[in-house]
Amino acid sequence: MNLIVDVGNTFVKFAIFKNDELIHKVSFELSEFKKQYKLLKKEFPKLKTSIISSVGRLSKKQIEIIDDDLEVLELNSNTKLPFKNLYKTPETLGVDRIALASASVNQFPDNNVLIIDAGTCITYDFVTDKNEYLGGAISPGIRLRYQALHNLTANLPLLEKDQPKTIIGNSTESSIHSGVVIGVVKEIDGVIDQYKEKHQDLTVILTGGDANFLSNQLKNSIFANSNFLLEGLNFILDYNSK
């Protein structure tokens, strides 16, 4: 069994894979790291290997909690990867984007794949049918857009995401929901359309915390998979264990 540790900008995820099957997943705040690991180890005492992917602030002591028990692979730009990385600055490529690209070459080999991760940020990553990672784009996610409107203006309220009923907002709140959510939907559809102009045989994956919220609002056909990043990390761990 493999332990997958995904430290994001907002939450930490622990996932357990057995024979490539996701059998357990838990999400929590970074402050609960030690407590959650002890609970997990008690429930799954046969864990032997782990991969740690961190875009957040994971301390050396927190890494050592797992390193003392398991064989640990810390994902970084020097890790052996299952694709050719043509990013101009590979050392700056986020480990989350590395994991998503790895999942794409594992699950959609010989395909042109656009992976859209709708989380704190919205990332776009493109892998060619020749197994080459070219890069993509980064833009603010839904939550960041709501926060920016509140924090950088004098009077706009901080709202929780909500699907707008119409594009014409008839109040401040409905106007914010229209601007943020419809803006994100149109951005994603527009990016997909641009990729399709160059790559008609395009496979599109939508993942991340806002994937389910957005999937039914997009006009383009996509595969929604909220566990795509975790599956990519598990594949990297197995790829490096061979």
Side-chain angles (χ1 to χ4, degrees), residues 147-174:
Q147 288 176 334
L149 288 174
H150 173 66
N151 294 337
L152 300 177
T153 62
N155 298 311
L156 293 181
L158 179 60
L159 305 178
E160 294 295 322
K161 69 184 178 188
D162 191 19
Q163 186 171 339
K165 296 178 176 60
T166 175
I167 194 170
I168 303 174
N170 60 6
S171 67
T172 298
E173 290 194 1
S174 61

Side-chain angles (χ1 to χ4, degrees), residues 3-239:
L3 168 61
I4 311 305
V5 181
D6 172 31
V7 184
N9 291 300
T10 308
F11 294 104
V12 179
K13 292 187 184 74
F14 283 164
I16 304 292
F17 281 82
K18 183 178 181 181
N19 299 325
D20 294 330
E21 179 186 357
L22 178 63
I23 62 172
H24 179 82
K25 182 175 72 170
V26 62
S27 179
F28 53 90
E29 293 184 352
L30 185 58
S31 59
E32 296 184 343
F33 191 92
K34 186 175 182 180
K35 173 188 173 183
Q36 291 293 335
Y37 178 69
K38 285 186 175 181
L39 290 172
L40 192 78
K41 197 66 170 65
K42 187 175 181 180
E43 187 175 354
F44 299 96
K46 293 183 179 180
L47 284 171
K48 292 183 179 180
T49 54
S50 176
I51 183 170
I52 296 177
S53 166
S54 177
V55 299
R57 297 181 178 179
L58 192 64
S59 70
K60 186 177 179 181
K61 286 186 177 180
Q62 288 167 321
I63 294 173
E64 287 174 349
I65 291 171
I66 298 177
D67 205 17
D68 288 343
D69 282 339
L70 309 176
E71 183 180 337
V72 175
L73 172 67
E74 290 184 57
L75 181 59
N76 56 50
S77 60
N78 296 317
T79 303
K80 184 175 70 170
L81 300 175
F83 59 87
K84 187 175 181 180
N85 190 353
L86 298 182
Y87 205 55
K88 189 175 181 180
T89 55
E91 68 281 357
T92 69
L93 183 62
V95 288
D96 52 341
R97 301 174 73 187
I98 290 173
L100 294 170
S102 298
S104 77
V105 301
N106 180 41
Q107 298 183 32
F108 300 93
D110 306 318
N111 278 256
N112 291 311
V113 183
L114 174 64
I115 312 110
I116 303 168
D117 185 359
T120 303
C121 293
I122 301 172
T123 60
Y124 301 86
D125 294 288
F126 182 65
V127 181
T128 73
D129 55 5
K130 295 184 175 69
N131 211 31
E132 297 172 334
Y133 175 82
L134 300 188
I138 305 171
S139 73
I142 290 177
R143 183 165 170 253
L144 277 181
R145 298 182 195 213
Y146 279 115
Q147 288 176 334
L149 288 174
H150 173 66
N151 294 337
L152 300 177
T153 62
N155 298 311
L156 293 181
L158 179 60
L159 305 178
E160 294 295 322
K161 69 184 178 188
D162 191 19
Q163 186 171 339
K165 296 178 176 60
T166 175
I167 194 170
I168 303 174
N170 60 6
S171 67
T172 298
E173 290 194 1
S174 61
S175 296
I176 291 173
H177 289 311
S178 175
V180 171
V181 177
I182 294 178
V184 167
V185 169
K186 295 301 182 183
E187 174 194 306
I188 293 174
D189 270 327
V191 171
I192 294 172
D193 287 343
Q194 281 194 281
Y195 273 87
K196 282 185 173 179
E197 287 178 7
K198 292 186 176 182
H199 307 280
Q200 293 183 352
D201 56 339
L202 184 70
T203 298
V204 182
I205 309 298
L206 179 65
T207 189
D210 288 325
N212 292 333
F213 177 75
L214 292 169
S215 60
N216 293 329
Q217 302 181 62
L218 298 172
K219 70 176 179 64
N220 278 286
S221 177
I222 52 96
F223 292 99
N225 182 350
S226 60
N227 296 319
F228 203 63
L229 189 149
L230 297 174
E231 292 165 359
L233 290 173
N234 185 62
F235 178 55
I236 293 172
L237 181 56
D238 287 342
Y239 184 78

